[in-house]
Amino acid sequence: AKPLGAQRAWNKTVRRITRRAARLLGVDGRVRAELYKVLIYEAGDFFVEHRDSEKVDGMFATLVVSLPAVHRGGALVVQHQGLERRFELGVEAPSHVAWAAFYADCVHRLEPIESGHRLVLVYNLLLADAGSRPRVPDHQASVRSAIEVLARWSQAPSPTKLIALLDHHYTQAGLSFAALKGRDRAVASVLVDAAAAADCVCHLAMVSIFE
């Protein structure tokens, strides 16, 4: 009975962390955390810069939960759009955990472990249903400005397509308006509303540049 009770308590903790992580990442609706792997690092171990792939449908972010373990070093460093955030996730108290969540396409690395062991659980964060959407703030002023730009563009002898590049990197399987991340969701929402008002059509697409 005790192991079952501990499992239920842990699942409740993970759900609480998941809800908070989703809120901070700007996602409304149900989000599910799916355990991906357990990692144990010892002195000298590290991980070079990389991006996490979208391993399953609906995945939009990675959640790292650091369990109590005595160690030094091993900071998690996350980069995106020229910004860098350093997370010190070391905890020693048996009743404590530390966690960090970031969009799957963010570049991140693990600094070398100086001593001891680092024990972490890695979860994939997934949109649990089609109703889960990133939040979009009130953007009517931006929509009006975009409508004016589109109106001038449609009246001028200009190219038949306009391209607005998004901040995040998406896979073909993960490219949808519902799965856009952070600022990208707000930008797309403005362009969709403005295009409808300006008699234009707004699509999502993958862009490749050849030289």
Side-chain angles (χ1 to χ4, degrees), residues 9-111:
W10 176 249
N11 290 341
K12 184 177 180 180
T13 297
V14 172
R15 287 194 296 269
R16 184 170 64 249
I17 292 173
T18 299
R19 287 193 297 269
R20 186 177 179 192
R23 184 172 65 252
L24 294 173
L25 289 171
V27 177
D28 287 324
R30 295 191 304 119
V31 171
R32 179 165 55 91
E34 183 180 89
L35 181 62
Y36 173 55
K37 57 186 173 183
V38 179
L39 297 175
I40 301 176
Y41 296 91
E42 59 184 11
D45 289 347
F46 63 96
F47 214 114
V48 297
E49 290 186 353
H50 66 287
R51 288 188 175 94
D52 290 341
S53 60
E54 296 175 0
K55 305 168 189 68
V56 292
D57 292 342
M59 178 184 172
F60 68 96
T62 296
L63 170 66
V64 177
V65 180
S66 180
L67 301 178
V70 178
H71 70 277
R72 292 179 56 193
L76 174 66
V77 182
V78 182
Q79 300 171 325
H80 180 65
Q81 292 289 302
L83 300 177
E84 183 174 284
R85 182 73 181 271
R86 195 168 182 271
F87 297 94
E88 296 282 0
L89 300 179
V91 290
E92 299 182 12
S95 60
H96 292 173
V97 297
W99 59 272
F102 48 90
Y103 290 120
D105 66 300
C106 289
V107 174
H108 56 284
R109 70 179 187 273
L110 181 70
E111 295 182 343

Side-chain angles (χ1 to χ4, degrees), residues 142-155:
S142 297
V143 171
R144 289 192 293 270
S145 297
I147 291 173
E148 294 176 1
V149 172
L150 291 176
R152 293 196 299 269
W153 165 68
S154 61
Q155 294 171 4

